[in-house]
């Protein structure tokens, strides 16, 4: 009788044995598609079995490509390896040999698989040397940056990118030895290192650590999601056209400086997740993977699926074990080398469907199981989640996915793909549509409440009003949609007009109703918490290569003569209020009352009651809400003067419920409040 390994036992345990797979048990509407769900689950188990050599190793043992490929210092010198099956010759050229080919720096092919190796003495190359590969193939040759290199720099004069030998004398010594993220709830501050400073330039890891991290900590966020870490040739791509997947962008500083940033964040109790791009890659051949060794399909799908029709980029072939090896190793590398606490996976919808989700409506469950899905990509994402949580059981994975694919953020053992969270992308779309299309009188609390709580019971989501997407040039942030050009002329204290007062009030209310109804976490993009004006526009030919709009003007929120600090102060108080309820994200959102005519909404979470009056003109006296019997104190009011409101209510008084014999058995009484127009209040039960 064969003895099962630890891994094969785990795989057997992962197979659903109940009549219905967990995903279907949680959602009866999925029952007609159970075979497809099981098929995808079995595909992942089959691939897992193959990659782990039938359970003889763990997935984390498989994902060690970064330790084999690339350039590494050894006890005897240096070793360089590259996977290039189509190559006929490979040379390393660089500062160490005058950028000329020589036999000393010529790699040899090791096997049929296409692995190449070059061993060098300790003095053959040194820290800081620039280098590239000269790759030859039948019918051609090219200058390339190695696929697995961990440091790439750009020459300031020529703008040419080169790999760089990185082996500092002293390794970074981590100050915070262990760290466990706080997820109750997860409060994410989405940020970009380069545009995180006031000055019109590219910011650095050190500047972010010294100047921005303290702000994030003081505001109450417990996680930062950093964009544009993986090296990318074009700064204006926001980091989404990646060329070197294992290299931390040198625009912002050194690897050690990035480690120091993450180390400090951990000391401050802040988790650090990376915006990882595995959905596509930049087309560039000299800097990227586009044509590494004469085979454009080495890493990417062939034929019509080779290029992304909307993103002008290349699509990974997730059906190839070597590509899966590359991507899984990439996940593990960032977690082990830099101690990232997880990832937000970009462009998941594009990965899931042959159409990349373009032109698809996704109106019913059949649209998720009609054969238009890329099972290879689904399998990869499932394996990535298994690996990430194998490396760190406390890791955080988030899917940016717009189609609503069932099971995306469900447990693998239930037939899901294993993400911890999915982005609630319906919410920002709803707010944009509401602000653009509806007059204030037509805002319906019932519609608002439904939208912010519309999610599957078996999935945790990250709620947000807006992210970097809405801040980009061509779009508008919420504050800019509400106030527009009056931000330039009437955002000084005492000079506000009606448009500004309306914008300030709704900005706070929109954030509060979104953040207080989370079932997983809440996300805010850097600066939006205080209503950062204008849009993001990276340096480009069309704007004269200006950095004017590729920065964050912290001076605005620091200036107490302007209204920005009202919004920033409210954001800080809002997060503090949410933390009053332990694990508020797991507490049920219990609707108390809504009236679309009055535009009133009220709900309870734990011992907090949230009351909103979206009516632009009507204030209500002694408005009654049926709540648990007791006394209540105001803990947050959007209309408070300290947050730029009118201060119409007395928030110092304790509110006692009024007896009603009809509700004695329910232990409820009437809480009667004055609710000013266009305001929200939070009360805590004593």
């Amino acid at each position: 009788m064969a003895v099962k390994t630890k891994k094969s036992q785990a795989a057997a345990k992962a197979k659903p044995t109940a009549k219905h797979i967990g995903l279907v048990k949680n959602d009866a509407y999925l029952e007609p598609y159970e075979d497809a769900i099981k098929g995808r689950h079995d595909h992942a188990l089959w691939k897992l079995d193959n990659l782990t050599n039938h359970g003889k190793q763990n997935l984390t043992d498989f994902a060690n490509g970064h330790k084999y490929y690339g350039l590494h210092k050894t006890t005897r010198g240096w070793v360089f390896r590259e996977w290039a099956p189509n190559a006929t010759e490979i040379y390393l050229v660089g500062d160490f040999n005058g950028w000329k080919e020589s036999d000393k720096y010529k790699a040899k092919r090791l096997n049929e698989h296409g692995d190449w190796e070059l061993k060098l003495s300790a003095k053959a190359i040194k820290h800081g040397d620039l280098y590239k590969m000269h790759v030859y193939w039948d019918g051609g040759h090219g200058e390339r940056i190695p696929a697995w290199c961990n440091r790439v720099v750009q020459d300031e004069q020529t703008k040419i990118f080169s790999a760089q030998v990185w082996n500092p004398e002293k390794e970074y010594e981590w100050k915070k030895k262990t760290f466990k993220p706080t997820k109750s709830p997860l409060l994410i501050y989405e940020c970009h290192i380069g545009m995180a400073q006031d000055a019109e330039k590219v910011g650095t890891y050190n500047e972010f650590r010294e100047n921005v991290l303290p702000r994030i900590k003081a505001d109450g966020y417990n996680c930062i999601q950093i964009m544009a870490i993986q090296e990318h040739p074009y700064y204006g791509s926001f980091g989404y056209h990646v060329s070197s997947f294992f290299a931390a962008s040198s625009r912002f500083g050194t690897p050690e400086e990035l480690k120091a940033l993450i180390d400090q964040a951990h000391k401050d109790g802040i988790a650090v997740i990376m915006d990882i791009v595995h959905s596509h890659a930049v087309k560039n051949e000299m800097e990227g993977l586009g044509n590494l060794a004469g085979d454009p399909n080495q890493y990417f799908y062939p034929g019509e699926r080779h290029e992304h029709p909307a993103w002008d980029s290349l699509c990974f072939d997730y059906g190839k074990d070597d590509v899966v090896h590359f991507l899984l190793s990439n996940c593990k590398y960032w977690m082990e080398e830099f101690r990232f606490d997880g990832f937000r996976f970009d462009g998941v919808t594009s990965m899931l469907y042959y159409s990349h989700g373009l032109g698809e409506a996704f109106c019913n469950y059949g649209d998720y199981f009609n054969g238009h899905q890329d099972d290879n990509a689904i399998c990869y994402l499932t394996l990535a989640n298994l690996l990430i949580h194998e490396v760190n059981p406390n890791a955080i994975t988030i899917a940016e996915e717009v189609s609503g694919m069932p099971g995306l953020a469900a447990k693998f053992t239930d037939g899901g793909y294993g993400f911890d969270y999915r982005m609630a992308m319906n919410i920002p779309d709803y707010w944009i549509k509401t602000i653009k299309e509806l007059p204030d009188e037509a805002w319906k609390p019932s519609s608002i409440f439904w939208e912010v709580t519309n999610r599957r019971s078996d999935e945790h989501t990250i709620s947000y009003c807006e992210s970097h997407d809405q801040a980009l040039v061509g779009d508008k942030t919420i504050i800019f949609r509400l106030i527009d050009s009056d931000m330039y002329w009437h955002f000084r204290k005492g000079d506000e007009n009606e448009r500004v007062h309306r914008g300030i009030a709704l900005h706070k209310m929109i954030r509060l109703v979104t953040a207080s109804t989370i079932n997983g976490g809440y996300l805010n993009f850097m600066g939006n918490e205080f209503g950062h004006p204008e849009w993001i526009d990276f340096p480009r030919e069309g704007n004269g290569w200006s950095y004017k709009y590729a920065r964050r003007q912290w001076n605005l929120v620091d200036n107490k003569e302007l209204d920005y600090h009202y919004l920033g102060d409210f954001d800080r108080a809002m997060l503090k209020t949410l933390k009053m309820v332990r694990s508020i994200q797991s507490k049920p959102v219990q609707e108390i009352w809504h009236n679309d005519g009055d535009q009133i909404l009220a709900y309870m979470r734990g011992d907090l009651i949230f009351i909103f009056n979206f009516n632009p003109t009507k204030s209500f006296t002694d408005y009654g809400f049926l709540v648990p019997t007791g006394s209540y104190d105001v803990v947050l009011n959007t209309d408070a003067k300290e947050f730029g409101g009118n201060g119409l209510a007395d928030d110092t008084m304790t509110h006692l419920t009024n007896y009603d014999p009809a509700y004695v058995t329910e232990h409820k009484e009437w809480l009667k409040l004055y609710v000013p127009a266009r305001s929200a209040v939070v009360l805590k039960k004593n």
Side-chain angles (χ1 to χ4, degrees):
M1 180 177 175
V3 178
K4 287 187 176 181
T5 64
K6 187 176 181 181
K7 191 65 188 180
S8 62
Q9 287 174 341
K13 187 179 179 182
K15 286 189 177 182
T17 56
K19 182 179 180 182
H20 288 301
I21 199 167
L23 205 58
V24 175
K25 282 196 283 186
N26 292 330
D27 189 343
Y29 289 106
L30 288 172
E31 192 168 336
Y33 312 104
E34 185 164 16
D35 287 345
I37 294 169
K38 285 182 177 178
R40 292 173 184 176
H41 186 82
D42 289 342
H43 182 193
L45 287 173
W46 170 80
K47 178 66 79 171
L48 177 65
D49 188 61
N50 285 349
L51 299 183
T52 59
N53 193 17
H54 311 298
K56 293 178 182 176
Q57 62 177 1
N58 292 327
L59 194 56
T60 187
D61 297 323
F62 169 78
N64 277 331
H66 54 290
K67 296 179 180 179
Y68 179 77
Y69 296 108
L71 180 65
H72 298 280
K73 190 77 166 66
T74 68
T75 54
R76 295 186 177 183
W78 297 88
V79 62
F80 169 79
R81 299 187 188 94
E82 187 74 25
W83 174 59
N86 202 53
T88 55
E89 290 183 323
I90 295 179
Y91 295 87
L92 278 194
V93 297
D95 293 337
F96 40 78
N97 60 6
W99 294 89
K100 294 179 181 178
E101 297 173 9
S102 66
D103 288 344
K104 179 180 177 181
Y105 294 91
K106 182 179 181 180
K108 66 175 182 179
R109 185 168 185 137
L110 296 178
N111 48 42
E112 294 272 327
H113 178 250
D115 294 330
W116 294 75
E117 183 181 79
L118 170 63
K119 291 183 177 179
L120 295 165
S121 68
K123 295 182 179 180
I125 55 178
K126 66 181 186 300
H127 172 69
D129 281 347
L130 302 182
Y131 70 100
K132 292 186 181 182
M133 297 189 301
H134 279 185
V135 185
Y136 289 81
W137 57 85
D138 289 339
H141 62 89
E143 192 174 75
R144 300 289 185 264
I145 289 177
W148 298 77
C149 73
N150 58 13
R151 175 75 172 168
V152 176
V153 295
Q154 185 179 28
D155 187 279
E156 290 187 14
Q157 277 70 47
T158 66
K159 305 303 180 185
I160 293 173
F161 286 88
S162 300
Q164 186 176 40
V165 178
W166 200 255
N167 184 48
E169 284 186 20
K170 193 175 181 181
E171 286 188 11
Y172 181 80
E173 186 176 338
W174 293 89
K175 313 297 186 299
K176 182 72 173 175
K177 303 301 182 184
T178 60
F179 178 77
K180 184 178 180 180
T182 299
K183 306 177 188 177
S184 300
L186 188 63
L187 302 170
I188 303 172
Y189 198 84
E190 184 187 29
C191 51
H192 182 283
I193 302 298
M195 58 167 287
Q197 76 302 310
D198 241 310
E200 295 183 28
K201 67 182 186 72
V202 177
T204 67
Y205 297 124
N206 282 344
E207 287 173 325
F208 189 95
R209 173 174 53 82
E210 294 166 1
N211 303 325
V212 183
L213 206 53
R215 292 179 181 271
I216 297 169
K217 179 184 178 182
D219 285 348
Y221 291 90
N222 56 28
C223 179
I224 55 174
Q225 177 182 302
I226 310 181
M227 308 170 65
I229 290 295
Q230 295 168 295
E231 193 59 87
H232 46 290
Y234 179 42
Y235 186 51
S237 74
F238 228 142
Y240 289 120
H241 275 198
V242 175
S243 52
S244 296
F245 287 78
F246 290 84
S249 183
S250 59
R251 283 184 182 87
F252 315 131
T254 67
E256 287 67 38
E257 289 165 349
L258 174 56
K259 291 175 182 178
L261 189 166
I262 295 170
D263 202 6
Q264 183 61 52
H266 286 170
K267 285 197 288 182
D268 290 339
I270 297 172
V272 185
I273 59 176
M274 184 173 126
D275 202 344
I276 200 167
V277 184
H278 283 179
S279 48
H280 63 135
V282 73
K283 278 185 175 180
N284 300 33
E285 294 185 357
M286 291 183 69
E287 295 91 358
L289 306 175
N291 187 16
L292 193 75
D295 178 10
N297 303 324
Q298 180 179 338
Y299 283 93
F300 308 103
Y301 277 124
E304 293 182 357
R305 301 183 61 197
H306 187 69
E307 295 188 15
H308 196 292
W311 294 348
D312 191 34
S313 55
L314 304 176
C315 302
F316 283 110
D317 185 345
Y318 306 104
K320 284 185 176 180
D321 285 355
D322 288 293
V323 174
V324 171
H325 185 227
F326 179 82
L327 296 175
L328 289 180
S329 298
N330 192 234
C331 295
K332 183 179 177 183
Y333 167 77
W334 291 110
M335 295 179 74
E336 285 195 340
E337 183 67 23
F338 290 89
R339 302 196 181 180
F340 277 97
D341 299 295
F343 305 96
R344 178 260 202 189
F345 278 75
D346 178 68
V348 171
T349 305
S350 175
M351 299 170 69
L352 294 178
Y353 303 95
Y354 295 134
S355 67
H356 305 292
L358 301 172
E360 303 246 14
F362 303 108
C363 297
N364 57 68
Y365 276 129
D367 294 336
Y368 305 117
F369 305 100
N370 57 9
H372 298 175
Q373 295 73 37
D374 185 348
D375 285 344
N376 292 330
I378 291 172
C379 182
Y380 164 68
L381 289 169
T382 305
L383 293 177
N385 277 291
L386 288 174
L387 168 74
I388 290 164
H389 293 99
E390 193 175 295
V391 174
N392 179 4
N394 298 309
I396 299 162
T397 58
I398 304 170
E400 187 234 12
E401 206 283 306
V402 72
S403 77
M405 171 66 78
L408 190 68
K411 295 177 181 177
F412 177 63
T413 49
D414 286 338
Y417 305 171
F419 281 98
D420 296 307
Y421 307 90
R422 70 186 309 151
M423 301 291 290
M425 300 184 75
N426 60 301
I427 296 177
D429 289 346
Y430 173 80
W431 287 124
I432 291 169
K433 185 178 176 66
T434 299
I435 295 169
K436 280 177 65 175
E437 300 178 4
L438 297 179
D440 292 1
E441 294 78 9
W443 289 30
K444 293 184 178 181
S446 60
S447 174
I448 292 170
F449 187 73
W450 186 87
E451 200 69 47
V452 295
T453 57
N454 178 26
R455 57 218 172 199
R456 296 189 182 94
S457 60
D458 61 342
E459 292 187 317
H460 293 142
T461 59
I462 301 296
S463 299
Y464 62 110
C465 315
E466 54 189 345
S467 67
H468 70 273
D469 289 325
Q470 288 72 40
L472 287 170
V473 64
D475 206 338
K476 286 184 177 181
T477 60
I478 285 176
I479 197 69
F480 225 58
R481 288 188 182 280
L482 291 170
I483 302 177
D484 216 319
S485 59
D486 280 354
M487 290 194 75
Y488 300 124
W489 312 110
H490 298 286
F491 224 61
R492 183 174 291 275
K493 288 182 180 179
D495 191 38
E496 302 92 344
N497 58 15
E498 176 54 32
R499 196 179 194 185
V500 168
H501 283 305
R502 168 185 177 267
I504 289 175
L506 288 176
H507 190 271
K508 292 177 289 186
M509 293 179 72
I510 288 169
R511 271 165 162 65
L512 181 59
V513 73
T514 302
S516 61
T517 50
I518 58 174
N519 82 331
Y522 173 73
L523 176 141
N524 167 73
F525 177 67
M526 178 175 65
N528 285 357
E529 72 277 9
F530 66 82
H532 195 286
E534 299 166 332
W535 52 85
I536 298 169
D537 191 10
F538 283 93
R540 55 187 173 85
E541 190 174 1
N543 66 14
W545 302 104
S546 170
Y547 287 86
K548 184 177 180 181
Y549 299 111
R551 59 187 179 126
R552 296 284 91 174
Q553 299 179 60
W554 304 109
N555 66 90
L556 297 176
V557 71
D558 292 340
N559 188 339
K560 301 305 180 183
E561 295 181 4
L562 303 178
D563 290 330
Y564 296 98
H565 83 86
Y566 286 141
L567 302 179
D569 292 345
F570 175 78
D571 190 75
R572 184 180 299 189
M574 178 182 75
L575 298 186
K576 184 178 179 181
T577 301
L578 297 182
K579 293 175 184 177
M580 289 180 178
V581 176
R582 185 177 182 181
S583 301
I584 190 171
Q585 80 288 348
S586 64
K587 299 291 189 291
V589 186
Q590 298 173 302
E591 186 177 15
I592 295 170
W593 177 251
H594 79 259
N595 184 308
D596 287 344
D598 293 340
Q599 294 182 271
I600 294 285
L601 171 67
Y603 52 86
M604 191 168 191
R605 297 202 83 170
D607 56 3
L608 294 182
I609 293 177
F610 300 83
I611 297 170
F612 296 80
N613 180 6
F614 285 97
N615 198 303
T617 57
K618 290 183 181 178
S619 298
F620 298 95
T621 303
D622 288 337
Y623 204 102
F625 302 94
L626 196 61
V627 301
T629 301
S631 65
Y632 294 82
D633 288 327
V634 173
V635 292
L636 184 68
N637 193 334
T638 64
D639 193 48
K641 287 188 175 181
E642 62 182 308
F643 305 133
N646 297 309
L648 297 177
D650 182 2
D651 292 338
T652 62
M653 64 182 295
T654 295
H655 298 271
L656 303 176
T657 55
N658 296 316
Y659 175 75
D660 187 331
Y663 298 100
V664 170
T665 57
E666 296 180 37
H667 305 288
K668 290 183 178 180
E669 293 181 346
W670 292 99
L671 178 66
K672 295 194 174 182
L673 300 172
Y674 170 58
V675 189
R678 203 180 273 146
S679 72
V681 63
V682 185
L683 301 101
K684 189 175 191 298
K685 189 176 186 296
N686 294 313

